[in-house]
Amino acid sequence: MKLLVVGGGCREHALCWSLGQDPEVKKLYAAPGNAGTALHAENLPVAADDIGSLTALAQELRPDLTIVGPEAPLCAGITDAFGRHGLSVFGPSARSARLEGSKSWTKALAQRYGIPTAEARSFDDPLEAISFSRGFPFPQVIKADGLASGKGVFIAADFSQAQQAIASLMQQRLHGAAGRRILIEAFLEGVELSAFALFDAKQYTVLGAAHDYKRVQDGDHGPNTGGMGAFLPSPFVSPALLRQIEESIFSRLHAACTAERLDYRGVLYAGLMVTREGPFLLEINVRFGDPEAQVLLPSLETPLSEIARATCRDELGRLHLRRHRRSLVGVVIASAGYPENPRLDDPILFSDSQTPTSGTQGFLFYGATKRSQGVLRTAGGRVFTAVGWGNRLVEARKHAYDQVDAVSFAGMHFRKDIASFLAGLPVPEPEA
């Protein structure tokens, strides 16, 4: 089998690593890839958002399947473009990808189909947004409607902070076109959770759930990022809660996709807030999360290629999904200045014990990295995800931070509290 992975971050390295474990995969390409994907695949210098060039490349290579990592090419219609040439893509159509591309559109859909979600209003005019905010209960959540790489969300404790957030998104265009429209949403209290399911045209299958850490500093302080760490399984996710998530979120979302005739074949990532009243939908992402993919993919025993093929063929009903019984913790290692202004081109060094290959207790997934004149250097904000695994979270956490300790470059920073409050908790027993 010949496969193509689109993207160049830690998630895409995790995808290539996962596919590389499968003896059925004989040839693997990554576009554009990074220094880590090059360990498993042939990197091709085509940008992930260049749909025309990617389509031409795929016509030449004729991969059996393409797996798309980031959201931008999905929202730009890569699945539709490839489909016109008979090329199969694990990922939704552009119309379906609007579930991530427009938070206001998704909010309206959730309300129509009875999916629990916070009260919210959308605005195209900053003056109208400010007027509404003044009379809406605080704290408020203010979100860019479009794609902002996980950074377009602000929690405003008072009207002054709300005004600042509205101005930065709609007038200063902190995240460009993503802030032309915004949502002002009621603040929900609870435990945030990332839940994943596979959707095909006939049914869905729950894939798993993970906790992630969005703030840049320990204790959930500082600005939002694309994600600073993740872990699974969660001791908070009981079988009863999983059933509730399936019934109130995924079942209704799949019914909505069917009723709206959305052509959705791929993974669907629901950002949830688990409150005293149950799970509420915060947002939908139409791909694997990053850094959640780096802990979710190593938890799967069923080969990813088998999962993706079953999804694309509307055969999820025949898929036997098997999982490893282990805990996983991922810690993101970021460059100086991330998330506001990441520094580039810092040389990266490894300790003598660190090798860029999978170990029995962990792995280092490469993100924003490049090789220049034989030297590995930083090339963006999130440089690595150090992943550890073990029978308990305390073991997985130790192995993840062992991977962190083996890396050094100027200005590197990471959170030191990923899964720290969960040390020693056993993996929940599966249902009989």
Side-chain angles (χ1 to χ4, degrees), residues 16-41:
C16 289
W17 172 84
S18 182
L19 293 166
Q21 314 302 303
D22 185 357
E24 294 292 318
V25 177
K26 304 301 183 185
K27 183 64 179 179
L28 188 58
Y29 300 97
N34 61 35
T37 62
L39 303 171
H40 316 278

mmCIF file with all atom_site columns, all heavy atoms in Angstrom, residues 16-41:
data_model
loop_
_atom_site.group_PDB
_atom_site.id
_atom_site.type_symbol
_atom_site.label_atom_id
_atom_site.label_alt_id
_atom_site.label_comp_id
_atom_site.label_asym_id
_atom_site.label_entity_id
_atom_site.label_seq_id
_atom_site.pdbx_PDB_ins_code
_atom_site.Cartn_x
_atom_site.Cartn_y
_atom_site.Cartn_z
_atom_site.occupancy
_atom_site.B_iso_or_equiv
_atom_site.pdbx_formal_charge
_atom_site.auth_seq_id
_atom_site.auth_comp_id
_atom_site.auth_asym_id
_atom_site.auth_atom_id
_atom_site.pdbx_PDB_model_num
ATOM 1   N N   . CYS A 1 16 ? 2.869  9.566  10.459 1.00 0.00 ? 16 CYS A N   1
ATOM 2   C CA  . CYS A 1 16 ? 3.853  8.779  9.705  1.00 0.00 ? 16 CYS A CA  1
ATOM 3   C C   . CYS A 1 16 ? 4.432  7.660  10.559 1.00 0.00 ? 16 CYS A C   1
ATOM 4   O O   . CYS A 1 16 ? 4.644  6.537  10.074 1.00 0.00 ? 16 CYS A O   1
ATOM 5   C CB  . CYS A 1 16 ? 4.962  9.690  9.183  1.00 0.00 ? 16 CYS A CB  1
ATOM 6   S SG  . CYS A 1 16 ? 4.464  10.793 7.851  1.00 0.00 ? 16 CYS A SG  1
ATOM 7   N N   . TRP A 1 17 ? 4.722  7.955  11.827 1.00 0.00 ? 17 TRP A N   1
ATOM 8   C CA  . TRP A 1 17 ? 5.232  6.917  12.741 1.00 0.00 ? 17 TRP A CA  1
ATOM 9   C C   . TRP A 1 17 ? 4.226  5.786  12.866 1.00 0.00 ? 17 TRP A C   1
ATOM 10  O O   . TRP A 1 17 ? 4.590  4.607  12.792 1.00 0.00 ? 17 TRP A O   1
ATOM 11  C CB  . TRP A 1 17 ? 5.509  7.540  14.100 1.00 0.00 ? 17 TRP A CB  1
ATOM 12  C CG  . TRP A 1 17 ? 5.846  6.550  15.171 1.00 0.00 ? 17 TRP A CG  1
ATOM 13  C CD1 . TRP A 1 17 ? 7.072  6.002  15.436 1.00 0.00 ? 17 TRP A CD1 1
ATOM 14  C CD2 . TRP A 1 17 ? 4.944  5.976  16.125 1.00 0.00 ? 17 TRP A CD2 1
ATOM 15  N NE1 . TRP A 1 17 ? 6.985  5.137  16.509 1.00 0.00 ? 17 TRP A NE1 1
ATOM 16  C CE2 . TRP A 1 17 ? 5.696  5.096  16.938 1.00 0.00 ? 17 TRP A CE2 1
ATOM 17  C CE3 . TRP A 1 17 ? 3.579  6.130  16.369 1.00 0.00 ? 17 TRP A CE3 1
ATOM 18  C CZ2 . TRP A 1 17 ? 5.100  4.367  17.977 1.00 0.00 ? 17 TRP A CZ2 1
ATOM 19  C CZ3 . TRP A 1 17 ? 2.989  5.406  17.402 1.00 0.00 ? 17 TRP A CZ3 1
ATOM 20  C CH2 . TRP A 1 17 ? 3.763  4.537  18.182 1.00 0.00 ? 17 TRP A CH2 1
ATOM 21  N N   . SER A 1 18 ? 2.950  6.123  13.054 1.00 0.00 ? 18 SER A N   1
ATOM 22  C CA  . SER A 1 18 ? 1.913  5.106  13.200 1.00 0.00 ? 18 SER A CA  1
ATOM 23  C C   . SER A 1 18 ? 1.787  4.268  11.943 1.00 0.00 ? 18 SER A C   1
ATOM 24  O O   . SER A 1 18 ? 1.731  3.030  12.000 1.00 0.00 ? 18 SER A O   1
ATOM 25  C CB  . SER A 1 18 ? 0.576  5.785  13.532 1.00 0.00 ? 18 SER A CB  1
ATOM 26  O OG  . SER A 1 18 ? -0.451 4.845  13.721 1.00 0.00 ? 18 SER A OG  1
ATOM 27  N N   . LEU A 1 19 ? 1.756  4.916  10.790 1.00 0.00 ? 19 LEU A N   1
ATOM 28  C CA  . LEU A 1 19 ? 1.647  4.184  9.527  1.00 0.00 ? 19 LEU A CA  1
ATOM 29  C C   . LEU A 1 19 ? 2.892  3.349  9.268  1.00 0.00 ? 19 LEU A C   1
ATOM 30  O O   . LEU A 1 19 ? 2.822  2.267  8.664  1.00 0.00 ? 19 LEU A O   1
ATOM 31  C CB  . LEU A 1 19 ? 1.422  5.162  8.375  1.00 0.00 ? 19 LEU A CB  1
ATOM 32  C CG  . LEU A 1 19 ? 0.082  5.901  8.392  1.00 0.00 ? 19 LEU A CG  1
ATOM 33  C CD1 . LEU A 1 19 ? 0.108  7.068  7.413  1.00 0.00 ? 19 LEU A CD1 1
ATOM 34  C CD2 . LEU A 1 19 ? -1.066 4.955  8.079  1.00 0.00 ? 19 LEU A CD2 1
ATOM 35  N N   . GLY A 1 20 ? 4.037  3.823  9.738  1.00 0.00 ? 20 GLY A N   1
ATOM 36  C CA  . GLY A 1 20 ? 5.288  3.089  9.542  1.00 0.00 ? 20 GLY A CA  1
ATOM 37  C C   . GLY A 1 20 ? 5.363  1.793  10.314 1.00 0.00 ? 20 GLY A C   1
ATOM 38  O O   . GLY A 1 20 ? 6.216  0.936  10.014 1.00 0.00 ? 20 GLY A O   1
ATOM 39  N N   . GLN A 1 21 ? 4.492  1.617  11.333 1.00 0.00 ? 21 GLN A N   1
ATOM 40  C CA  . GLN A 1 21 ? 4.466  0.363  12.079 1.00 0.00 ? 21 GLN A CA  1
ATOM 41  C C   . GLN A 1 21 ? 3.722  -0.745 11.332 1.00 0.00 ? 21 GLN A C   1
ATOM 42  O O   . GLN A 1 21 ? 3.763  -1.907 11.725 1.00 0.00 ? 21 GLN A O   1
ATOM 43  C CB  . GLN A 1 21 ? 3.765  0.558  13.446 1.00 0.00 ? 21 GLN A CB  1
ATOM 44  C CG  . GLN A 1 21 ? 4.174  1.789  14.239 1.00 0.00 ? 21 GLN A CG  1
ATOM 45  C CD  . GLN A 1 21 ? 5.645  1.822  14.529 1.00 0.00 ? 21 GLN A CD  1
ATOM 46  O OE1 . GLN A 1 21 ? 6.200  0.905  15.118 1.00 0.00 ? 21 GLN A OE1 1
ATOM 47  N NE2 . GLN A 1 21 ? 6.295  2.904  14.111 1.00 0.00 ? 21 GLN A NE2 1
ATOM 48  N N   . ASP A 1 22 ? 3.023  -0.378 10.261 1.00 0.00 ? 22 ASP A N   1
ATOM 49  C CA  . ASP A 1 22 ? 2.134  -1.297 9.552  1.00 0.00 ? 22 ASP A CA  1
ATOM 50  C C   . ASP A 1 22 ? 2.875  -1.952 8.384  1.00 0.00 ? 22 ASP A C   1
ATOM 51  O O   . ASP A 1 22 ? 3.283  -1.272 7.439  1.00 0.00 ? 22 ASP A O   1
ATOM 52  C CB  . ASP A 1 22 ? 0.922  -0.513 9.049  1.00 0.00 ? 22 ASP A CB  1
ATOM 53  C CG  . ASP A 1 22 ? -0.125 -1.386 8.389  1.00 0.00 ? 22 ASP A CG  1
ATOM 54  O OD1 . ASP A 1 22 ? 0.105  -2.605 8.261  1.00 0.00 ? 22 ASP A OD1 1
ATOM 55  O OD2 . ASP A 1 22 ? -1.172 -0.841 8.011  1.00 0.00 ? 22 ASP A OD2 1
ATOM 56  N N   . PRO A 1 23 ? 3.044  -3.279 8.401  1.00 0.00 ? 23 PRO A N   1
ATOM 57  C CA  . PRO A 1 23 ? 3.743  -3.951 7.294  1.00 0.00 ? 23 PRO A CA  1
ATOM 58  C C   . PRO A 1 23 ? 3.006  -3.854 5.967  1.00 0.00 ? 23 PRO A C   1
ATOM 59  O O   . PRO A 1 23 ? 3.600  -4.077 4.903  1.00 0.00 ? 23 PRO A O   1
ATOM 60  C CB  . PRO A 1 23 ? 3.845  -5.406 7.772  1.00 0.00 ? 23 PRO A CB  1
ATOM 61  C CG  . PRO A 1 23 ? 2.791  -5.565 8.814  1.00 0.00 ? 23 PRO A CG  1
ATOM 62  C CD  . PRO A 1 23 ? 2.653  -4.225 9.469  1.00 0.00 ? 23 PRO A CD  1
ATOM 63  N N   . GLU A 1 24 ? 1.703  -3.506 6.007  1.00 0.00 ? 24 GLU A N   1
ATOM 64  C CA  . GLU A 1 24 ? 0.950  -3.345 4.768  1.00 0.00 ? 24 GLU A CA  1
ATOM 65  C C   . GLU A 1 24 ? 1.361  -2.089 4.007  1.00 0.00 ? 24 GLU A C   1
ATOM 66  O O   . GLU A 1 24 ? 1.128  -1.976 2.813  1.00 0.00 ? 24 GLU A O   1
ATOM 67  C CB  . GLU A 1 24 ? -0.553 -3.291 5.085  1.00 0.00 ? 24 GLU A CB  1
ATOM 68  C CG  . GLU A 1 24 ? -1.138 -4.576 5.640  1.00 0.00 ? 24 GLU A CG  1
ATOM 69  C CD  . GLU A 1 24 ? -1.149 -5.688 4.604  1.00 0.00 ? 24 GLU A CD  1
ATOM 70  O OE1 . GLU A 1 24 ? -1.493 -5.405 3.432  1.00 0.00 ? 24 GLU A OE1 1
ATOM 71  O OE2 . GLU A 1 24 ? -0.796 -6.826 4.946  1.00 0.00 ? 24 GLU A OE2 1
ATOM 72  N N   . VAL A 1 25 ? 1.934  -1.119 4.720  1.00 0.00 ? 25 VAL A N   1
ATOM 73  C CA  . VAL A 1 25 ? 2.337  0.137  4.088  1.00 0.00 ? 25 VAL A CA  1
ATOM 74  C C   . VAL A 1 25 ? 3.742  -0.043 3.503  1.00 0.00 ? 25 VAL A C   1
ATOM 75  O O   . VAL A 1 25 ? 4.725  -0.166 4.228  1.00 0.00 ? 25 VAL A O   1
ATOM 76  C CB  . VAL A 1 25 ? 2.318  1.301  5.099  1.00 0.00 ? 25 VAL A CB  1
ATOM 77  C CG1 . VAL A 1 25 ? 2.817  2.591  4.446  1.00 0.00 ? 25 VAL A CG1 1
ATOM 78  C CG2 . VAL A 1 25 ? 0.910  1.496  5.654  1.00 0.00 ? 25 VAL A CG2 1
ATOM 79  N N   . LYS A 1 26 ? 3.819  -0.051 2.202  1.00 0.00 ? 26 LYS A N   1
ATOM 80  C CA  . LYS A 1 26 ? 5.089  -0.307 1.512  1.00 0.00 ? 26 LYS A CA  1
ATOM 81  C C   . LYS A 1 26 ? 5.828  0.978  1.137  1.00 0.00 ? 26 LYS A C   1
ATOM 82  O O   . LYS A 1 26 ? 7.053  0.996  1.016  1.00 0.00 ? 26 LYS A O   1
ATOM 83  C CB  . LYS A 1 26 ? 4.839  -1.132 0.240  1.00 0.00 ? 26 LYS A CB  1
ATOM 84  C CG  . LYS A 1 26 ? 4.101  -2.441 0.483  1.00 0.00 ? 26 LYS A CG  1
ATOM 85  C CD  . LYS A 1 26 ? 4.861  -3.351 1.443  1.00 0.00 ? 26 LYS A CD  1
ATOM 86  C CE  . LYS A 1 26 ? 4.141  -4.694 1.619  1.00 0.00 ? 26 LYS A CE  1
ATOM 87  N NZ  . LYS A 1 26 ? 4.808  -5.545 2.629  1.00 0.00 ? 26 LYS A NZ  1
ATOM 88  N N   . LYS A 1 27 ? 5.068  2.073  0.943  1.00 0.00 ? 27 LYS A N   1
ATOM 89  C CA  . LYS A 1 27 ? 5.681  3.348  0.570  1.00 0.00 ? 27 LYS A CA  1
ATOM 90  C C   . LYS A 1 27 ? 4.890  4.472  1.215  1.00 0.00 ? 27 LYS A C   1
ATOM 91  O O   . LYS A 1 27 ? 3.660  4.485  1.167  1.00 0.00 ? 27 LYS A O   1
ATOM 92  C CB  . LYS A 1 27 ? 5.701  3.518  -0.949 1.00 0.00 ? 27 LYS A CB  1
ATOM 93  C CG  . LYS A 1 27 ? 6.388  4.798  -1.420 1.00 0.00 ? 27 LYS A CG  1
ATOM 94  C CD  . LYS A 1 27 ? 7.879  4.829  -1.075 1.00 0.00 ? 27 LYS A CD  1
ATOM 95  C CE  . LYS A 1 27 ? 8.549  6.091  -1.566 1.00 0.00 ? 27 LYS A CE  1
ATOM 96  N NZ  . LYS A 1 27 ? 9.984  6.155  -1.223 1.00 0.00 ? 27 LYS A NZ  1
ATOM 97  N N   . LEU A 1 28 ? 5.609  5.425  1.803  1.00 0.00 ? 28 LEU A N   1
ATOM 98  C CA  . LEU A 1 28 ? 4.969  6.513  2.525  1.00 0.00 ? 28 LEU A CA  1
ATOM 99  C C   . LEU A 1 28 ? 5.604  7.833  2.095  1.00 0.00 ? 28 LEU A C   1
ATOM 100 O O   . LEU A 1 28 ? 6.830  7.962  2.066  1.00 0.00 ? 28 LEU A O   1
ATOM 101 C CB  . LEU A 1 28 ? 5.142  6.289  4.034  1.00 0.00 ? 28 LEU A CB  1
ATOM 102 C CG  . LEU A 1 28 ? 4.402  7.211  5.010  1.00 0.00 ? 28 LEU A CG  1
ATOM 103 C CD1 . LEU A 1 28 ? 2.896  7.172  4.768  1.00 0.00 ? 28 LEU A CD1 1
ATOM 104 C CD2 . LEU A 1 28 ? 4.713  6.777  6.451  1.00 0.00 ? 28 LEU A CD2 1
ATOM 105 N N   . TYR A 1 29 ? 4.741  8.814  1.770  1.00 0.00 ? 29 TYR A N   1
ATOM 106 C CA  . TYR A 1 29 ? 5.184  10.155 1.409  1.00 0.00 ? 29 TYR A CA  1
ATOM 107 C C   . TYR A 1 29 ? 4.624  11.152 2.424  1.00 0.00 ? 29 TYR A C   1
ATOM 108 O O   . TYR A 1 29 ? 3.552  10.947 2.997  1.00 0.00 ? 29 TYR A O   1
ATOM 109 C CB  . TYR A 1 29 ? 4.683  10.553 0.020  1.00 0.00 ? 29 TYR A CB  1
ATOM 110 C CG  . TYR A 1 29 ? 5.132  9.656  -1.104 1.00 0.00 ? 29 TYR A CG  1
ATOM 111 C CD1 . TYR A 1 29 ? 4.310  8.636  -1.575 1.00 0.00 ? 29 TYR A CD1 1
ATOM 112 C CD2 . TYR A 1 29 ? 6.370  9.843  -1.727 1.00 0.00 ? 29 TYR A CD2 1
ATOM 113 C CE1 . TYR A 1 29 ? 4.705  7.809  -2.622 1.00 0.00 ? 29 TYR A CE1 1
ATOM 114 C CE2 . TYR A 1 29 ? 6.775  9.024  -2.774 1.00 0.00 ? 29 TYR A CE2 1
ATOM 115 C CZ  . TYR A 1 29 ? 5.943  8.009  -3.225 1.00 0.00 ? 29 TYR A CZ  1
ATOM 116 O OH  . TYR A 1 29 ? 6.343  7.205  -4.251 1.00 0.00 ? 29 TYR A OH  1
ATOM 117 N N   . ALA A 1 30 ? 5.332  12.260 2.620  1.00 0.00 ? 30 ALA A N   1
ATOM 118 C CA  . ALA A 1 30 ? 4.846  13.362 3.452  1.00 0.00 ? 30 ALA A CA  1
ATOM 119 C C   . ALA A 1 30 ? 5.060  14.668 2.703  1.00 0.00 ? 30 ALA A C   1
ATOM 120 O O   . ALA A 1 30 ? 6.129  14.910 2.152  1.00 0.00 ? 30 ALA A O   1
ATOM 121 C CB  . ALA A 1 30 ? 5.574  13.399 4.795  1.00 0.00 ? 30 ALA A CB  1
ATOM 122 N N   . ALA A 1 31 ? 4.021  15.508 2.692  1.00 0.00 ? 31 ALA A N   1
ATOM 123 C CA  . ALA A 1 31 ? 4.121  16.800 2.009  1.00 0.00 ? 31 ALA A CA  1
ATOM 124 C C   . ALA A 1 31 ? 3.598  17.901 2.926  1.00 0.00 ? 31 ALA A C   1
ATOM 125 O O   . ALA A 1 31 ? 2.423  17.903 3.264  1.00 0.00 ? 31 ALA A O   1
ATOM 126 C CB  . ALA A 1 31 ? 3.313  16.772 0.708  1.00 0.00 ? 31 ALA A CB  1
ATOM 127 N N   . PRO A 1 32 ? 4.444  18.833 3.372  1.00 0.00 ? 32 PRO A N   1
ATOM 128 C CA  . PRO A 1 32 ? 5.879  18.879 3.097  1.00 0.00 ? 32 PRO A CA  1
ATOM 129 C C   . PRO A 1 32 ? 6.712  18.026 4.056  1.00 0.00 ? 32 PRO A C   1
ATOM 130 O O   . PRO A 1 32 ? 7.886  17.806 3.823  1.00 0.00 ? 32 PRO A O   1
ATOM 131 C CB  . PRO A 1 32 ? 6.209  20.355 3.289  1.00 0.00 ? 32 PRO A CB  1
ATOM 132 C CG  . PRO A 1 32 ? 5.266  20.799 4.364  1.00 0.00 ? 32 PRO A CG  1
ATOM 133 C CD  . PRO A 1 32 ? 3.989  20.032 4.118  1.00 0.00 ? 32 PRO A CD  1
ATOM 134 N N   . GLY A 1 33 ? 6.120  17.592 5.179  1.00 0.00 ? 33 GLY A N   1
ATOM 135 C CA  . GLY A 1 33 ? 6.875  16.827 6.160  1.00 0.00 ? 33 GLY A CA  1
ATOM 136 C C   . GLY A 1 33 ? 7.808  17.694 6.980  1.00 0.00 ? 33 GLY A C   1
ATOM 137 O O   . GLY A 1 33 ? 7.790  18.928 6.899  1.00 0.00 ? 33 GLY A O   1
ATOM 138 N N   . ASN A 1 34 ? 8.650  17.050 7.774  1.00 0.00 ? 34 ASN A N   1
ATOM 139 C CA  . ASN A 1 34 ? 9.656  17.740 8.579  1.00 0.00 ? 34 ASN A CA  1
ATOM 140 C C   . ASN A 1 34 ? 10.813 16.782 8.836  1.00 0.00 ? 34 ASN A C   1
ATOM 141 O O   . ASN A 1 34 ? 10.851 15.683 8.257  1.00 0.00 ? 34 ASN A O   1
ATOM 142 C CB  . ASN A 1 34 ? 9.039  18.282 9.884  1.00 0.00 ? 34 ASN A CB  1
ATOM 143 C CG  . ASN A 1 34 ? 8.462  17.183 10.765 1.00 0.00 ? 34 ASN A CG  1
ATOM 144 O OD1 . ASN A 1 34 ? 8.984  16.074 10.834 1.00 0.00 ? 34 ASN A OD1 1
ATOM 145 N ND2 . ASN A 1 34 ? 7.367  17.489 11.451 1.00 0.00 ? 34 ASN A ND2 1
ATOM 146 N N   . ALA A 1 35 ? 11.724 17.169 9.709  1.00 0.00 ? 35 ALA A N   1
ATOM 147 C CA  . ALA A 1 35 ? 12.892 16.319 9.958  1.00 0.00 ? 35 ALA A CA  1
ATOM 148 C C   . ALA A 1 35 ? 12.508 14.988 10.593 1.00 0.00 ? 35 ALA A C   1
ATOM 149 O O   . ALA A 1 35 ? 13.249 14.004 10.468 1.00 0.00 ? 35 ALA A O   1
ATOM 150 C CB  . ALA A 1 35 ? 13.885 17.054 10.855 1.00 0.00 ? 35 ALA A CB  1
ATOM 151 N N   . GLY A 1 36 ? 11.354 14.930 11.259 1.00 0.00 ? 36 GLY A N   1
ATOM 152 C CA  . GLY A 1 36 ? 10.906 13.683 11.867 1.00 0.00 ? 36 GLY A CA  1
ATOM 153 C C   . GLY A 1 36 ? 10.196 12.771 10.898 1.00 0.00 ? 36 GLY A C   1
ATOM 154 O O   . GLY A 1 36 ? 10.430 11.563 10.879 1.00 0.00 ? 36 GLY A O   1
ATOM 155 N N   . THR A 1 37 ? 9.336  13.325 10.054 1.00 0.00 ? 37 THR A N   1
ATOM 156 C CA  . THR A 1 37 ? 8.648  12.481 9.069  1.00 0.00 ? 37 THR A CA  1
ATOM 157 C C   . THR A 1 37 ? 9.650  11.843 8.118  1.00 0.00 ? 37 THR A C   1
ATOM 158 O O   . THR A 1 37 ? 9.413  10.759 7.589  1.00 0.00 ? 37 THR A O   1
ATOM 159 C CB  . THR A 1 37 ? 7.615  13.298 8.260  1.00 0.00 ? 37 THR A CB  1
ATOM 160 O OG1 . THR A 1 37 ? 8.288  14.327 7.535  1.00 0.00 ? 37 THR A OG1 1
ATOM 161 C CG2 . THR A 1 37 ? 6.574  13.927 9.173  1.00 0.00 ? 37 THR A CG2 1
ATOM 162 N N   . ALA A 1 38 ? 10.795 12.519 7.909  1.00 0.00 ? 38 ALA A N   1
ATOM 163 C CA  . ALA A 1 38 ? 11.829 11.973 7.020  1.00 0.00 ? 38 ALA A CA  1
ATOM 164 C C   . ALA A 1 38 ? 12.399 10.663 7.529  1.00 0.00 ? 38 ALA A C   1
ATOM 165 O O   . ALA A 1 38 ? 13.020 9.916  6.766  1.00 0.00 ? 38 ALA A O   1
ATOM 166 C CB  . ALA A 1 38 ? 12.952 13.001 6.845  1.00 0.00 ? 38 ALA A CB  1
ATOM 167 N N   . LEU A 1 39 ? 12.198 10.356 8.812  1.00 0.00 ? 39 LEU A N   1
ATOM 168 C CA  . LEU A 1 39 ? 12.661 9.081  9.359  1.00 0.00 ? 39 LEU A CA  1
ATOM 169 C C   . LEU A 1 39 ? 11.796 7.911  8.909  1.00 0.00 ? 39 LEU A C   1
ATOM 170 O O   . LEU A 1 39 ? 12.204 6.755  9.001  1.00 0.00 ? 39 LEU A O   1
ATOM 171 C CB  . LEU A 1 39 ? 12.668 9.140  10.892 1.00 0.00 ? 39 LEU A CB  1
ATOM 172 C CG  . LEU A 1 39 ? 13.511 10.247 11.525 1.00 0.00 ? 39 LEU A CG  1
ATOM 173 C CD1 . LEU A 1 39 ? 13.252 10.319 13.017 1.00 0.00 ? 39 LEU A CD1 1
ATOM 174 C CD2 . LEU A 1 39 ? 14.982 10.009 11.236 1.00 0.00 ? 39 LEU A CD2 1
ATOM 175 N N   . HIS A 1 40 ? 10.561 8.203  8.440  1.00 0.00 ? 40 HIS A N   1
ATOM 176 C CA  . HIS A 1 40 ? 9.617  7.146  8.079  1.00 0.00 ? 40 HIS A CA  1
ATOM 177 C C   . HIS A 1 40 ? 9.107  7.272  6.652  1.00 0.00 ? 40 HIS A C   1
ATOM 178 O O   . HIS A 1 40 ? 8.577  6.295  6.104  1.00 0.00 ? 40 HIS A O   1
ATOM 179 C CB  . HIS A 1 40 ? 8.396  7.192  9.023  1.00 0.00 ? 40 HIS A CB  1
ATOM 180 C CG  . HIS A 1 40 ? 8.737  7.383  10.452 1.00 0.00 ? 40 HIS A CG  1
ATOM 181 N ND1 . HIS A 1 40 ? 9.136  6.341  11.272 1.00 0.00 ? 40 HIS A ND1 1
ATOM 182 C CD2 . HIS A 1 40 ? 8.761  8.493  11.226 1.00 0.00 ? 40 HIS A CD2 1
ATOM 183 C CE1 . HIS A 1 40 ? 9.377  6.818  12.481 1.00 0.00 ? 40 HIS A CE1 1
ATOM 184 N NE2 . HIS A 1 40 ? 9.162  8.105  12.484 1.00 0.00 ? 40 HIS A NE2 1
ATOM 185 N N   . ALA A 1 41 ? 9.214  8.474  6.067  1.00 0.00 ? 41 ALA A N   1
ATOM 186 C CA  . ALA A 1 41 ? 8.585  8.745  4.775  1.00 0.00 ? 41 ALA A CA  1
ATOM 187 C C   . ALA A 1 41 ? 9.538  9.534  3.883  1.00 0.00 ? 41 ALA A C   1
ATOM 188 O O   . ALA A 1 41 ? 10.551 10.073 4.335  1.00 0.00 ? 41 ALA A O   1
ATOM 189 C CB  . ALA A 1 41 ? 7.291  9.541  4.984  1.00 0.00 ? 41 ALA A CB  1
#
